[in-house]
């Protein structure tokens, strides 16, 4: 599978430069409702938090031991993730 994320700029009505994650088997993603972060999960349980303002990517290897299957951001900009490893994690916007 592709390891790049292609984003759409609604204001300019065109695709932006793809964001290369260098991570295979991307399977889940969600934008924060209150911050500039995009969380991306992989089939191996890894997580990437991409900041669209700074264009910085924070890869978090081994967040889960199996596929990340679901997640949600709360109003405090914390990220809850569920995984096939039967665990749930709660992280800050930096991934801590």
């Amino acid at each position: 599978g592709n390891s790049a994320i292609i984003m759409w700029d609604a204001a300019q009505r065109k695709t932006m430069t793809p964001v290369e994650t260098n991570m295979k088997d991307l399977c889940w993603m969600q934008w924060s409702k209150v911050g500039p972060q995009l969380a991306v999960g992989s089939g191996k349980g890894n997580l990437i938090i991409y900041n669209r303002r700074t264009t910085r990517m924070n890869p978090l290897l081994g967040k889960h031991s199996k596929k990340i299957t679901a997640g949600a951001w709360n109003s405090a900009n914390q990220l809850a993730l569920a995984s096939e490893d039967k665990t749930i994690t709660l992280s800050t916007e930096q991934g801590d």
Side-chain angles (χ1 to χ4, degrees):
N2 196 339
S3 62
I5 300 168
I6 300 171
M7 295 193 210
W8 176 257
D9 184 330
Q12 295 186 22
R13 306 182 100 192
K14 66 177 187 175
T15 56
M16 299 167 58
T17 303
V19 176
E20 180 54 56
T21 67
N22 295 313
M23 211 174 273
K24 301 287 186 207
D25 197 17
L26 303 178
C27 61
W28 174 88
M29 67 175 64
Q30 186 176 39
W31 284 103
S32 167
K33 292 172 179 44
V34 297
Q37 294 83 12
L38 173 67
V40 183
S42 81
K44 295 193 184 228
N46 299 320
L47 173 68
I48 294 169
I49 298 181
Y50 172 76
N51 185 314
R52 72 173 172 242
R53 278 194 205 125
T54 64
T55 68
R56 293 194 64 208
M57 195 168 8
N58 184 12
L60 301 155
L61 305 179
K63 191 69 176 178
H64 283 273
S65 61
K66 292 188 178 176
K67 181 180 183 176
I68 294 173
T69 55
W73 292 93
N74 68 15
S75 59
N77 217 26
Q78 294 172 315
L79 176 65
L81 293 173
S83 167
E84 286 181 355
D85 63 13
K86 300 180 183 175
T87 64
I88 295 173
T89 56
L90 185 63
S91 305
T92 66
E93 62 195 58
Q94 288 86 27
D96 302 325

